[in-house]
Amino acid sequence: MTAAIPTRTAPTEPASPLARLSRLRRPRRPPHEDRDDRGGRGGRGGRGFRIAGADVSASISVFLIALPLSLGIALATGAPLQAGLVAAAVGGLVVGRLGGAPLQVSGPAAGLTVVTADLIQQFGWRVTCAITICAGFAQLGLAALRVARSALAVSPAIVHGMLAGIGVTIALAQLHIVLGGTPQSSAVDNVRGLPAQLANLHPGALSVSLLTIAVLLAWPRIPGRTGRIVRKIPGTLAAVAIATTLAALAGVSLERVDLPSWSSHALPALPEGPVLGLLAAVLTVTLVGSVESLLSAVAVDKLTAARKKPGVHIPRARLDRELAGQGAGNVVSGALGGLPITGVAVRSAANVASGAVSRNSTMLHGLWVAIAALLLVPVLDLIPLAALAALVMVVGVQMVNLVHLRSVQRNREMLVYVVTLAAVVFTGVLEGVVIGIAVAVAVALHRLTRTRITVEVQDGIHRVRARGQLTFLAVPRLSRVLHQVPWDSDCVVELDGSFMDHAAFEALHDWQMAHIAHGRVAEFTGRAGGRIAEPATESPTCCRPWTPWRNHRCGEHSPVQVNASQHGERTRVVPPADAPSAADPSGGKPSGGAPPAFASTTATPFTADRPANDPSTADASTTDQPASDPSAADLSGTAWPGAKKTAMCHTLSAGAARSPGVRQLASGISSFQRNTAPLVRGELARLAREGQRPSQLFLTCADSRLITSMITSSGPGDLFTVRNVGNLVPLPGADGADDSVAAAIEYAVDVLRVESITVCGHSGCGAMQALLNTPADADGDGPGVGTPLRRWLRHGLPSLERMRSGQHSWARISGRLPADAVEQLCLTNVVQQLEHLRAHESVARRLAEGTLELHGMYFHVGEAQAYLLADGVGARGDFSGEEVFDRVAPTTLEESRA
């Protein structure tokens, strides 16, 4: 009788696995997991339409930012000021409801300011509205073709250069209004007109503008408690409000906002003008608006994922739906006489930062803008145009983003960035983007074809260095240099590039085979010196370059063929999968009948394929199990024939034979000595002098798939690791208890004074499977009965009983049911072993003192995902809370350093 999946009441009769699974009651879900992305209750139980309080507060914050910016952008384009308010309201209500990015806020954006201004000057305002409608229909067509993700193929240098060029153009135009004048039609004319404008300043406009800029820049930097309070008001609103109030109190004579009656609002007219010009205008608005919206949607996804306390699951942006929503918004905005619409990064970031949890915040912001446009016209008419111009000028300057500039420079794309920026400023947005794409293609082709190949001799070894991409165009030069290497000398080829086509690979492979046939060594390395391959293999490399260990199943690894060289050394060549090895003439299968992939299995992941500069090459045994501590024995290694003879010299005579396991062990050790030992020798020497001072006792399973140093990003001296079958902690004084685990716990807690103990289980644990398959009558076996494995697994029976019992809440992973009974038992076992730890005297004493914490961890091997027992459960020895394992999310570099 096998163990059943846990239920609250014991079954009275046998049941099928499906029937037993149906009895597993669904764990309670947090309230926020029942909500859909519209903010209402989802599923069967959802009734009515509810708006979260977080959405209301976020919508107000975004509204306060959008109102002055919408007026300022309308002013910068030369459109009626109501057009900005119409676009903001439509962007919130229409795009917010139909778009695919729930938290993205759409409306009039600075990215389309230059384009719209050119269209108004060329075609007039009413025709520009018609162009906006046509651009909306074009976006709907592109969304129907599902090509939204194609926009992400544009080089970031082009996008950043386009936005920076638009920002420069906006800033130059608004500078004239700030100085009290009128902007010219182009950026070049604005630069030429600056001297005359500086000679004819308007003191009132200049003072209001400077005040607006000063408040806008100083507002986020107000220190202390006062700053935290006032920053609840957006800086844009504060700057415009303060400038407007002081200008009114001082009685300064300035041009102000003049919102005419809505009854005279201009609506679109039929397009008039050259057909090609109109088509180019529609194409420009479509491409610029679509790219900016989609990139903003991707950025909002990143901001949402990085939010510290998301409070609710926000679905990722559906880019095709977002593009369709933008198209629908542009159709409606153009029909109502509004500006073109696009996703706005500033407002979207404010929406996320304000804690919005659904698209309701975006829609409410549009509603507030519509209400303000209808009811607050007398208040809006008090705003000086100079204040709005100063606000838009600062936005334009900020579009030249220094972070983007550094990123472009780091990726060697500065030429593309500068050319795109200059082309947008001097020729226009569409022409500038086309020129930027042309330059980016030219740079890519230049890098693809530019390869530098050199050769030098060091200590009798010829070193060939290939810098750049290896394509068929570089094969003649590569072949000429390789054939200059004498046949009677060893050679190392260093490849420093990210691409190699088939022609270059064949040239290298053929030369290598010919060189090896003459009895010499030919190796390929990366820039850091780590070996890339042991000479060329035909086996698949789908999971390279990160996983060079032998026991991976990317492809069937055949045994290593040994060829004797003329100098008595051995050169290893991996033959095709169907070729028999020299050591195993049976065709690659061991005598036991195992398939070739398991003919030589070890638990060590460290081979010569790992680059020398990879910090993860640190030896796991050095990190986790100090040799001086017998309690830290690692049971995860697989025995191999002749393992005790590994101290022999790594070069063998041609007639000697080595088993595959010994060859792999020697290869891994040799790689460590060559690549890793020089990097860690100094640190290990310090640890040898000072002794070990680990901060944590890490108790986990002996399963060979668990590499503790890898999943915890730890190094030598960080973890004191105990590994055994099933990550079990025998109770003190239990029958057949293993003192080695208790000794390791006592040593870690009392001698090493670790600060925490972590028990780590994992998916697919063979020990837990064995427990589930243990016959019921096995419980009565005495301590000396059965195999050593069965006697050891008796320490896991309390976990099995806990799972079957109704006295404890079931351990589970947050948000889902256990996959099967094995996973349920693996999770339960972690919690049970934490309780066993409390029974140890040294642990109980440190817990009482408050100087020790206990943590539970579960690692899903197939997902490469770690889960931690929820905060507070078992940390100080209290297991009364719900036993939920929360997913560990990846953090940014800044968060990991914090």
Side-chain angles (χ1 to χ4, degrees), residues 500-552:
M500 178 192 303
D501 69 3
H502 186 253
F505 172 79
E506 288 289 345
L508 287 171
H509 180 267
D510 293 343
W511 169 82
Q512 186 183 40
M513 292 296 99
H515 201 78
I516 291 174
H518 286 74
R520 303 308 304 178
V521 174
E523 290 184 354
F524 297 120
T525 69
R527 185 175 185 178
R531 187 178 302 176
I532 292 178
E534 293 190 39
T537 175
E538 300 292 339
S539 61
T541 55
C542 60
C543 56
R544 289 175 64 92
W546 192 86
T547 52
W549 65 83
R550 303 295 180 180
N551 190 25
H552 70 287

Side-chain angles (χ1 to χ4, degrees), residues 13 67 78 81 83 228 256 263 318 504 520 553 587 726 792 890:
E13 59 183 14
L67 187 65
L81 295 183
R228 289 193 297 271
R256 301 180 188 273
S263 60
R318 297 164 55 187
R520 303 308 304 178
R553 297 298 300 273
W792 171 253

Side-chain angles (χ1 to χ4, degrees), residues 490-741:
D490 295 337
C491 181
V492 176
V493 180
E494 180 182 314
L495 304 177
D496 181 14
S498 58
F499 175 77
M500 178 192 303
D501 69 3
H502 186 253
F505 172 79
E506 288 289 345
L508 287 171
H509 180 267
D510 293 343
W511 169 82
Q512 186 183 40
M513 292 296 99
H515 201 78
I516 291 174
H518 286 74
R520 303 308 304 178
V521 174
E523 290 184 354
F524 297 120
T525 69
R527 185 175 185 178
R531 187 178 302 176
I532 292 178
E534 293 190 39
T537 175
E538 300 292 339
S539 61
T541 55
C542 60
C543 56
R544 289 175 64 92
W546 192 86
T547 52
W549 65 83
R550 303 295 180 180
N551 190 25
H552 70 287
R553 297 298 300 273
C554 173
E556 295 294 328
H557 289 276
S558 57
V560 180
Q561 185 178 18
V562 182
N563 294 329
S565 69
Q566 295 178 353
H567 296 271
E569 295 179 351
R570 304 188 40 183
T571 305
R572 296 174 292 281
V573 181
V574 179
D578 56 352
S581 72
D584 186 2
S586 63
K589 292 184 179 182
S591 59
F598 295 95
S600 54
T601 301
T602 73
T604 176
F606 308 105
T607 72
D609 296 337
R610 178 79 68 177
N613 63 346
D614 190 339
S616 64
T617 55
D619 193 342
S621 62
T622 302
T623 302
D624 300 329
Q625 290 128 35
S628 61
D629 300 323
S631 60
D634 187 342
L635 304 179
S636 64
T638 303
W640 50 79
K644 296 181 179 179
K645 300 179 181 179
T646 56
M648 66 179 65
C649 179
H650 71 281
T651 56
L652 301 178
S653 63
R658 277 201 289 184
S659 67
V662 175
R663 286 197 300 273
Q664 291 172 13
L665 176 65
S667 175
I669 296 175
S670 175
S671 172
F672 169 78
Q673 295 300 145
R674 180 180 65 252
N675 297 331
T676 307
L679 301 178
V680 300
R681 185 170 287 119
E683 182 66 12
L684 291 179
R686 182 188 64 80
L687 291 173
R689 292 191 306 269
E690 300 176 359
Q692 59 171 330
R693 280 183 268 179
S695 61
Q696 183 175 158
L697 167 59
F698 198 88
L699 196 150
T700 188
C701 185
D703 193 292
S704 62
R705 297 166 295 180
L706 287 181
I707 308 300
T708 57
S709 59
M710 179 174 67
I711 63 179
T712 60
S713 299
S714 56
D718 290 341
L719 301 181
F720 185 78
T721 303
V722 176
R723 305 186 69 156
N724 59 50
V725 176
N727 48 277
L728 301 178
V729 180
L731 285 168
D735 293 338
D738 184 355
D739 287 340
S740 66
V741 177

Side-chain angles (χ1 to χ4, degrees), residues 40 44 87 94 96 156 179 239 271 298 338 377 392 411 432 506 609 657 713 720 793 876-877:
R44 300 175 185 173
V94 177
L179 297 175
V298 174
V377 173
V392 177
N411 291 281
E506 288 289 345
D609 296 337
S713 299
F720 185 78
L793 290 181
R876 297 292 182 185

